[in-house]
Amino acid sequence: MVPYDVHGGSYTGTAYLPQTSDAGDLTGFGGSQGSYDISAGTLKARVDFLADDQLRLRAAPDGVLTDPAGSTIVRKQPEPQRDTSTFDAGAYYGIRSKGLVLRVYKHPLRFGLYKADDRTALWQESAPLRWSTGGLRQSLERGADEQFFGGGEQNGSFSHRDRTVHVANGTDWNEGGWNNSQPFYVSTAGYGVFRNTFTPGIYDFGSPVRTGQQERRLDAYYFTGDVKAVIGRYTDLVGKPFMPPVYGLEPGDADCYLHNANRGERHTPDALKVADGYVDHQMPLGWMLVNDGYGCGYENLAQTGTGLRRDHAQLGLWTQNGLPDQAEEVKAGVRVRKLDVAWVGNGYDFALNACDQAKAGIEDGSDARGFVWLPVSWAGAQRCGVLWSGDQSLSWDYIRWQIPTYAGATMSGIAYNTGDVGSIYRRDPAMYTRDLQWKAFLPAIMTMDGWARDMTGTQQRDQQPWLDGEPYTSINRKYLQLKERLLPYMYTLSAEAARTGVGAVRPLALEYPHDPNALGPNATYEFLAGPDFLVAPVYSDTAVRDGIYLPEGTWTDYWTGRTYQGPTTVNGYSAPLDTLPLFVRGGAIVPMWPKGTLSWENRDRSELDYDLYPKASGDSSYTLYEDDGVTRQYTAGSSATQQVDVHTGRAVTNIRIGASDGDYAAKPAERSYRLTVHGRPAPRLVATDAGPLPRRDSAAALDAAGSGWYHDAATGVTTVRTPSVPTGDGFSLNLVHGGN
């Protein structure tokens, strides 16, 4: 990459080329029906209003409005809308839609985007467009409290005010790197912008804000609304996050099994011994990559795939040199792809095309959903792949900076961004376990085997989660099994991401935009998994976690049941090795698979659990999404939703389990429900529409019974098991507290 100076010139090595020019006075303005042509000397610009709240601005100093990105990023260009008008305000022309006014200033030519009142600025150029031999930049006034997010994956940060962000191809896997960056950002002033380009750029979020790409043209789409709305409109344009297969949300494993010099002679079917190890240690495994592409091919592929499926895992391959045999590999059972940097390392359109190609290849040859990982990408990659942050070495600092990295990627519509559990190059039992704990709350995770050594760098170490013995094995099992039980919650968030563009892993600032502490140093190293779980990873060698910021509302410690009233900061939190600081939002309704679930495929479909954290008073609601988990039939409507409503009164907790609305293959005709109710007084009566349920004397008695309820006085938790109910029927459940 040749660095570009956003202050006006370009650099080549140490030589500065200050040959800059600015747009002069307006010399031409005209157009209608949503499309307008503007000129200032040789600079030509075009504005297309694509919706009441969205527009595209293009400009070129040579007067030629080209489109080098073509249809690779934006698959189908929106047509200009016709419902616009213009007016002359003296100092500027105004182009008005129902929601916006774009000001076109005359002396010199500058642009400003305002709300429909033509008084409230969303953004305002502080200077004319400027270009040099190295590129073109735009300068915007910065609001007093304006914040900026986006830029794709920016290693180590999620908020960019007063920071300079690189948007370019790169393979710096460490803090400060940007290998999965995107030419997009969103502002709390109420707008976002996508630069439709395959060239590098630098975005300086100082005052003024200066953004530029290494090309003498501007092609920018502006979206307006709050941050979530902008992410939605951006992903409408470049592609919504793909809907993964449910096994893609289970842990993955990767290694070279053919002629591996690190382990002596091995063969591809030896992968089955490792898959068996997950089963033997009662740890979920959703998929496995059985080669590494770097001279490690495969043999007996179909046999290996059959063996993996017996362990409820899917077969995957990675590649460094394209997909010449993809059709036959898919026929042999390949359902997962990893694209290596040796192939997609050139980034930009090359990586995006490869990602689209790999996903389509799986789907063209099967009824499965393509599941693709890649380490270098560009805008639009969310529609086809899991973005992986690259080859990294283990340290406490590595754990720290990955936390804001993945939360921040969500602000660019990236729903699946992750790193290797325990890194790729080093193995330390405590650090591995700490890393696995919090990554269990990322949608996609993988252990990368075959390259790691101990922290001295001398002893070869494998990376499976049981290899360090106790207490590490039991702790790792605890979190992997919890991840498996929470798959209905995470899968519903995946459906939400595919619909809205907003992924599961969120910085606090996304859900609490008016809380300044959500941008503070404490909130930087924690995140939300959906709206309901607040995760504060331990990223140092300690058993105490300080500086846990809890925003407004009631938060319940997942492990102890202790409640906190936010906003507050928790210091001195006891976090021994087996404890991830984890809090649940008051009002949360969390769907879970039954205890003991180790695979989506052989789970007990006759029971569904809901973990409930009622508000002190009032209502809360949740809608579960379900489909068959693996095919693409959901795109034709084969899916179901179930709404759960909780009303908390002084003496009664009312729970309404709605009918499961819709159908899909293998949908259970009926199921029972286990409801775990936190934070409410002991009930004297629990009843469904059919009448009271029997009270049981212990948790064991409740487990042994077909239905009933039990209140644990020590924890304050009431657990209810209902009889089996047709999924097409809804019902109510009342917990009556107090009285006679």
Side-chain angles (χ1 to χ4, degrees):
M1 169 184 171
V2 178
Y4 171 64
D5 174 33
V6 296
H7 296 275
S10 65
Y11 292 98
T12 302
T14 58
Y16 180 59
L17 305 175
Q19 302 152 336
T20 61
S21 300
D22 293 343
D25 290 344
L26 183 73
T27 56
F29 176 84
S32 63
Q33 298 184 338
S35 187
Y36 299 86
D37 291 312
I38 299 158
S39 59
T42 61
L43 181 134
K44 306 296 181 185
R46 180 168 299 147
V47 177
D48 293 314
F49 272 79
L50 307 177
D52 291 335
D53 54 5
Q54 180 178 329
L55 61 89
R56 182 185 187 188
L57 173 61
R58 288 176 284 172
D62 62 3
V64 181
L65 300 177
T66 60
D67 188 8
S71 60
T72 304
I73 304 175
V74 180
R75 296 287 190 84
K76 184 179 180 180
Q77 293 288 352
E79 292 294 327
Q81 65 141 341
R82 298 177 180 274
D83 192 12
T84 58
S85 60
T86 62
F87 60 92
D88 189 341
Y92 61 88
Y93 290 110
I95 306 173
R96 186 187 299 278
S97 71
K98 289 181 180 178
L100 300 171
V101 170
L102 179 70
R103 291 184 180 183
V104 183
Y105 291 92
K106 300 176 181 179
H107 307 294
L109 172 63
R110 292 179 295 122
F111 297 96
L113 189 62
Y114 285 71
K115 292 184 178 180
D117 61 8
D118 195 25
R119 292 190 299 273
T120 307
L122 298 170
W123 56 261
Q124 170 67 58
E125 287 188 339
S126 60
L129 294 174
R130 169 173 286 190
W131 56 91
S132 71
T133 54
L136 180 148
R137 74 121 195 261
Q138 183 183 46
S139 299
L140 304 179
E141 297 175 1
R142 190 181 75 176
D145 300 313
E146 189 175 4
Q147 302 291 333
F148 304 89
F149 313 101
E153 178 196 306
Q154 295 288 329
N155 288 348
S157 65
F158 77 89
S159 178
H160 307 316
R161 181 180 170 94
D162 292 322
R163 296 177 61 92
T164 297
V165 169
H166 291 257
V167 178
N169 178 46
T171 53
D172 179 356
W173 311 126
N174 300 307
E175 185 170 15
W178 56 82
N179 49 295
N180 284 303
S181 57
Q182 296 193 2
F184 164 81
Y185 73 86
V186 56
S187 162
T188 56
Y191 79 95
V193 57
F194 159 61
R195 301 287 288 265
N196 186 33
T197 180
F198 283 121
T199 63
I202 294 180
Y203 299 171
D204 177 355
F205 293 110
S207 182
V209 174
R210 292 179 284 194
T211 61
Q213 312 288 149
Q214 277 191 22
E215 58 185 359
R216 287 165 56 91
R217 57 186 285 275
L218 172 73
D219 187 352
Y221 291 81
Y222 296 92
F223 319 94
T224 62
D226 63 22
V227 172
K228 285 187 177 181
V230 168
I231 293 171
R233 293 181 179 110
Y234 167 56
T235 52
D236 282 341
L237 193 70
V238 304
K240 283 286 190 284
F242 72 100
M243 186 66 185
V246 66
Y247 52 77
L249 303 181
E250 296 178 317
D253 191 290
D255 197 2
C256 165
Y257 288 97
L258 184 62
H259 314 314
N260 190 316
N262 291 330
R263 312 304 193 322
E265 185 65 9
R266 296 203 303 178
H267 300 277
T268 304
D270 288 331
L272 304 182
K273 300 173 186 176
V274 174
D276 290 343
Y278 280 90
V279 175
D280 294 343
H281 289 89
Q282 296 185 298
M283 296 180 178
L285 176 68
W287 50 277
M288 179 178 282
L289 305 175
V290 299
N291 70 329
D292 72 5
Y294 288 90
C296 178
Y298 56 79
E299 60 189 2
N300 301 315
L301 197 62
Q303 171 196 345
T304 303
T306 298
L308 287 175
R309 288 189 292 275
R310 281 197 295 267
D311 284 338
H312 309 291
Q314 295 295 320
L315 174 64
L317 293 175
W318 79 23
T319 180
Q320 65 162 347
N321 57 1
L323 300 166
D325 303 313
Q326 175 153 257
E328 289 302 313
E329 290 164 347
V330 171
K331 191 180 298 183
V334 170
R335 297 293 181 268
V336 183
R337 284 283 184 191
K338 178 178 176 291
L339 315 181
D340 204 82
V341 67
W343 180 28
V344 299
N346 290 332
Y348 307 120
D349 57 335
F350 195 77
L352 194 56
N353 279 324
C355 184
D356 285 332
Q357 177 188 347
K359 183 174 185 289
I362 293 172
E363 296 183 351
D364 290 346
S366 71
D367 65 354
R369 306 172 197 176
F371 189 58
V372 179
W373 285 51
L374 68 165
V376 178
S377 62
W378 196 245
Q382 49 264 64
R383 70 190 181 219
C384 57
V386 175
L387 306 187
W388 168 64
S389 60
D391 295 338
Q392 291 142 352
S393 291
L394 184 63
S395 68
W396 291 113
D397 206 42
Y398 155 87
I399 296 172
R400 174 193 60 78
W401 64 255
Q402 285 196 322
I403 301 165
T405 299
Y406 307 135
T410 300
M411 305 300 258
S412 295
I414 298 170
Y416 307 99
N417 192 197
T418 190
D420 299 325
V421 174
S423 85
I424 182 174
Y425 290 127
R426 290 289 184 267
R427 175 80 176 210
D428 173 84
M431 280 191 272
Y432 181 96
T433 294
R434 285 299 196 191
D435 199 40
L436 183 147
Q437 286 174 359
W438 73 272
K439 284 180 177 170
F441 285 84
L442 303 182
I445 61 171
M446 169 175 64
T447 60
M448 185 74 77
D449 211 30
W451 291 265
R453 295 181 179 274
D454 64 13
M455 298 304 287
T456 69
T458 58
Q459 183 180 355
Q460 185 76 32
R461 295 298 308 273
D462 285 347
Q463 293 277 47
Q464 278 76 40
W466 61 84
L467 294 177
D468 293 313
E470 297 298 346
Y472 310 104
T473 297
S474 293
I475 299 171
N476 295 337
R477 179 188 299 114
K478 167 184 170 180
Y479 286 94
L480 292 177
Q481 289 188 1
L482 178 58
K483 177 178 178 61
E484 190 73 16
R485 288 199 68 204
L486 286 170
L487 279 187
Y489 176 78
M490 194 62 73
Y491 194 70
T492 297
L493 288 170
S494 289
E496 178 185 334
R499 185 178 71 255
T500 68
V502 179
V505 181
R506 304 171 184 180
L508 271 62
L510 183 60
E511 295 293 335
Y512 301 90
H514 304 298
D515 183 349
N517 291 315
L519 293 164
N522 289 336
T524 298
Y525 298 109
E526 56 192 47
F527 65 94
L528 297 166
D532 296 319
F533 287 97
L534 188 148
V535 185
V538 176
Y539 52 88
S540 62
D541 188 11
T542 180
V544 175
R545 177 63 151 87
D546 291 323
I548 301 173
Y549 179 67
L550 303 177
E552 65 179 350
T554 301
W555 295 90
T556 299
D557 186 319
Y558 188 78
W559 310 112
T560 69
R562 178 180 175 181
T563 58
Y564 299 83
Q565 193 63 41
T568 189
T569 298
V570 179
N571 290 310
Y573 181 91
S574 178
L577 186 61
D578 68 343
T579 301
L580 168 73
L582 180 64
F583 303 85
V584 189
R585 180 185 61 86
I589 300 170
V590 180
M592 303 180 77
W593 284 338
K595 292 180 180 178
T597 300
L598 296 176
S599 169
W600 71 274
E601 194 168 24
N602 66 349
R603 70 186 188 274
D604 181 0
R605 298 170 188 262
S606 68
E607 177 184 312
L608 180 65
D609 298 353
Y610 280 103
D611 207 11
L612 310 176
Y613 294 80
K615 297 177 180 178
S617 64
D619 301 322
S620 54
S621 182
Y622 176 83
T623 301
L624 172 74
Y625 173 86
E626 298 175 288
D627 60 31
D628 67 28
V630 289
T631 77
R632 301 190 301 281
Q633 291 301 309
Y634 74 95
T635 62
S638 293
S639 62
T641 58
Q642 181 177 53
Q643 182 166 317
V644 180
D645 298 290
V646 177
H647 172 76
T648 308
R650 184 179 63 83
V652 177
T653 304
N654 174 259
I655 303 165
R656 174 68 185 174
I657 307 290
S660 178
D661 183 17
D663 197 19
Y664 58 89
K667 177 183 175 180
E670 60 180 44
R671 62 189 174 199
S672 64
Y673 296 88
R674 179 188 289 261
L675 309 175
T676 307
V677 184
H678 299 259
R680 295 293 290 154
R684 63 174 177 83
L685 175 70
V686 176
T688 68
D689 300 332
L693 294 175
R695 181 172 187 167
R696 306 299 179 184
D697 294 331
S698 66
L702 180 61
D703 288 340
S707 64
W709 63 278
Y710 169 69
H711 180 80
D712 187 333
T715 63
V717 173
T718 300
T719 303
V720 182
R721 292 190 69 185
T722 74
S724 189
V725 179
T727 50
D729 294 346
F731 66 95
S732 291
L733 182 77
N734 288 309
L735 283 66
V736 182
H737 311 283
N740 297 320

